[in-house]
Amino acid sequence: AEARTHGASSIESVHFHEVGAIDSIVDTVGTLIALQAMNATTSFSCSRIPLGEGTCWGMHGCMPVPAPATLRLLQDMPLCLGPPGMTGEL
């Protein structure tokens, strides 16, 4: 998604800004460790994903919420509006 959003020629040329932040790495690795500890062998599903709205600041300046690469990842996913009156990332 990030490569397509930036028009990169290959996945190797993509630099992940916010995804490379330590909290994102801990969230991802922690989830995988928990799934392994539970001996998860089946697929999982989740409820509709609430969308944020407005803008946020990142490495590319002021970005819409959800950001373009995020929208690509959410394609064909069950979505819903976020809490009324909430703006920014959820």
Side-chain angles (χ1 to χ4, degrees):
E2 192 78 15
R4 286 195 346 235
T5 299
H6 288 287
S9 57
S10 69
I11 192 78
E12 289 80 21
S13 64
V14 174
H15 177 73
F16 297 103
H17 302 286
E18 287 78 9
V19 176
I22 191 70
D23 63 320
S24 297
I25 295 169
V26 169
D27 289 345
T28 302
V29 172
T31 299
L32 294 174
I33 290 170
L35 289 171
Q36 183 178 27
M38 294 186 305
N39 294 317
T41 58
T42 60
S43 63
F44 290 86
S45 63
C46 65
S47 62
R48 295 182 299 156
I49 301 168
L51 293 178
E53 63 178 77
T55 58
C56 67
W57 285 92
M59 293 293 292
H60 295 295
C62 186
M63 300 284 293
V65 174
T70 303
L71 282 177
R72 287 188 191 278
L73 292 172
L74 294 173
Q75 188 174 357
D76 300 325
M77 299 292 290
L79 307 173
C80 65
L81 296 176
M86 298 286 296
T87 60
E89 297 179 288
L90 297 180

